[in-house]
Amino acid sequence: MSHIMIHGGGRLKGTLAVQGAKNSVLPILAATILHPGRTVLRGCPHLSDVEASIHILQHLGCKAGWEGADLVVDTSPMSRGDIPDSLMREMRSSVIFLGAILARLGWAEMSYPGGCELGPRPIDLHLSALRQLGAQLREEGGHIRCEARQMRGREIALSLPSVGATENAMLAACGAEGETTLFNAAREPEIADLQTFLRAMGCDVRGAGSSTICVVGRQPTRDAVHTVMPDRIAAATYLAAVAAAGGEVELRNIDYRHLSTVTAALHEAGCQISGGEGWVSLRSDGALRSIPSVRTAPYPGFPTDAQAVLMAALLQSRGATVFVENVFENRYRHVDELRRMGADISVAGRVAVVTGVPRLCGAEVRATDLRGGAALLVAGLAAQGMTRVGDIHHIQRGYEDPVRDLRMLGAEISLEED
């Protein structure tokens, strides 16, 4: 096991290129199944969740591996449609393979997924969409068996704009006869990136980025080369780190428009922010002020994945900030760890109130989930003294090499073995 050591209190400065997006590449890897051919993914981040997806593809009979900086997948030898419990437990988003396997083979079988424990994230919306396309589902003993020898397109209205359900429905609809229209679809940029990839393979998909997506079922016919979009949550993390510690950073390979709610909050807290085509920059003196409230919501609202890192940035702000978590009910698990560093945070249900303190102190803490772990890195950079972050396997699910990236900004940080 490894841990991260941080000697905080120093200012940060530099330029970083943002990694490819975790939340984009995972559904794209599932989508490669639709076409029995070869896919080259460029800008794919080296993450443990990506490795878990590679293992799933290999279990299904596909070839998947790194060729230099590219991830290359050949799904033509795919021979099975079941995913065992051991692989499903590695990441919660593994359920995204359900719709793609069903579209390719007409059947799929898997157990319920694992991943970060952020409270109930039911897959009933996924299953409902598949049923409406004509799939027959049987659930027993923690396993799901789907069969649909011939799915038919139809209008599907999601009760919530779930990202995963939208993606699963899109993939399954590619294998359905006729046209499928998804209403109240999630609007995240990663869904638009999935559409770009599907179209590169020859699928007829349009509307991603809006609340209505149309899919005309057809067998994709082309091998594809695709560059994964930049990770807006990784970008938000590094902006929060510099905001908290003080200094200046320029992030490249990022669409600043995807960060608008995050940068607006940091600007309100006292940071100087500017952005243009493919870049965004932030300058902070480290003396932040509180902001009235932060309410997470589906895109284009404030992203739940950025809630923890913004909270960490505001721990030493002047005044109090109210956070309202509207997406996952158990997304304050990092609060107890931040309190170990001297943070003043009170929690009642979905509401957390952060009252700024004059000083944070380094402490021994552990990552409780992916984004909560990133929040500990942000807090550690702003704290005085040494911070030791354990259970960093959570962080490695979504950040390619945060130690390397933060060192490039001048942080005193290292990866060490237990």
Side-chain angles (χ1 to χ4, degrees), residues 12-18 235-236 238-243 246-257 259-260 262-268 270-285 409:
L12 305 177
K13 182 177 181 179
T15 301
L16 281 179
V18 178
Y238 294 126
L239 292 177
V242 178
E248 54 187 288
V249 65
E250 180 178 304
L251 300 181
R252 297 176 179 169
N253 185 40
I254 188 66
D255 189 331
Y256 74 96
R257 296 168 296 184
L259 292 164
S260 59
V262 175
T263 54
L266 291 171
H267 175 73
E268 192 172 8
C271 299
Q272 299 177 44
I273 296 175
S274 57
E277 188 67 32
W279 64 276
V280 64
S281 67
L282 177 145
R283 180 178 296 175
S284 169
D285 61 8
L409 298 181

Side-chain angles (χ1 to χ4, degrees), residues 62 152 214 311:
C62 307
R152 295 187 182 276
C214 297
M311 178 182 289

Side-chain angles (χ1 to χ4, degrees), residues 10-314:
R11 294 172 69 83
L12 305 177
K13 182 177 181 179
T15 301
L16 281 179
V18 178
Q19 68 181 54
K22 164 190 178 288
N23 290 337
S24 180
V25 71
L26 300 183
I28 287 174
L29 285 172
T32 62
I33 289 172
L34 296 174
H35 169 55
R38 191 170 187 267
T39 295
V40 177
L41 293 181
R42 293 177 174 160
C44 182
H46 288 257
L47 308 171
S48 60
D49 271 10
V50 169
E51 292 302 320
S53 293
I54 290 173
H55 295 156
I56 288 174
L57 288 167
Q58 292 171 338
H59 171 81
L60 296 174
C62 307
K63 297 178 181 178
W66 298 95
E67 295 185 6
D70 298 334
L71 180 56
V72 179
V73 180
D74 183 357
T75 65
S76 54
M78 179 174 170
S79 58
R80 57 194 304 170
D82 65 297
I83 303 177
D85 181 71
S86 59
L87 292 179
M88 290 296 293
R89 286 182 180 273
E90 291 188 28
M91 63 173 186
R92 187 173 289 268
S93 54
S94 52
V95 73
I96 196 64
F97 281 89
L98 186 59
I101 297 173
L102 193 61
R104 170 81 177 263
L105 300 180
W107 69 276
E109 185 172 341
M110 59 183 61
S111 64
Y112 281 91
C116 290
E117 297 299 328
L118 302 177
R121 287 200 274 183
I123 63 171
D124 57 315
L125 291 179
H126 302 239
L127 304 184
S128 174
L130 297 181
R131 285 192 179 99
Q132 292 180 70
L133 290 171
Q136 296 179 332
L137 282 76
R138 186 172 70 251
E139 302 174 63
E140 58 182 34
H143 284 75
I144 308 164
R145 169 80 183 191
C146 297
E147 293 187 7
R149 297 303 173 184
Q150 186 172 15
M151 294 187 289
R152 295 187 182 276
R154 59 164 297 168
E155 293 184 351
I156 299 174
L158 299 176
S159 58
L160 296 171
S162 161
V163 174
T166 297
E167 293 166 340
N168 236 334
M170 288 171 66
L171 298 184
C174 287
E177 180 181 331
E179 183 170 332
T180 298
T181 303
L182 295 175
F183 296 105
N184 197 29
R187 300 165 57 188
E188 271 71 4
E190 292 80 8
I191 293 175
D193 199 33
L194 174 60
Q195 174 179 274
T196 300
F197 174 72
L198 291 172
R199 292 173 68 92
M201 286 200 303
C203 298
D204 187 351
V205 186
R206 59 191 183 276
S210 74
S211 59
T212 303
I213 300 175
C214 297
V215 181
V216 178
R218 65 168 62 162
Q219 177 73 38
T221 57
R222 298 194 294 263
D223 291 354
V225 177
H226 179 77
T227 300
V228 180
M229 68 171 282
D231 195 314
R232 60 195 173 100
I233 306 304
T237 301
Y238 294 126
L239 292 177
V242 178
E248 54 187 288
V249 65
E250 180 178 304
L251 300 181
R252 297 176 179 169
N253 185 40
I254 188 66
D255 189 331
Y256 74 96
R257 296 168 296 184
H258 295 163
L259 292 164
S260 59
T261 54
V262 175
T263 54
L266 291 171
H267 175 73
E268 192 172 8
C271 299
Q272 299 177 44
I273 296 175
S274 57
E277 188 67 32
W279 64 276
V280 64
S281 67
L282 177 145
R283 180 178 296 175
S284 169
D285 61 8
L288 303 182
R289 54 179 177 265
S290 62
I291 58 181
S293 66
V294 178
R295 297 175 180 270
T296 65
Y299 191 86
F302 191 92
T304 180
D305 281 351
Q307 172 254 107
V309 295
L310 180 62
M311 178 182 289
L314 296 176

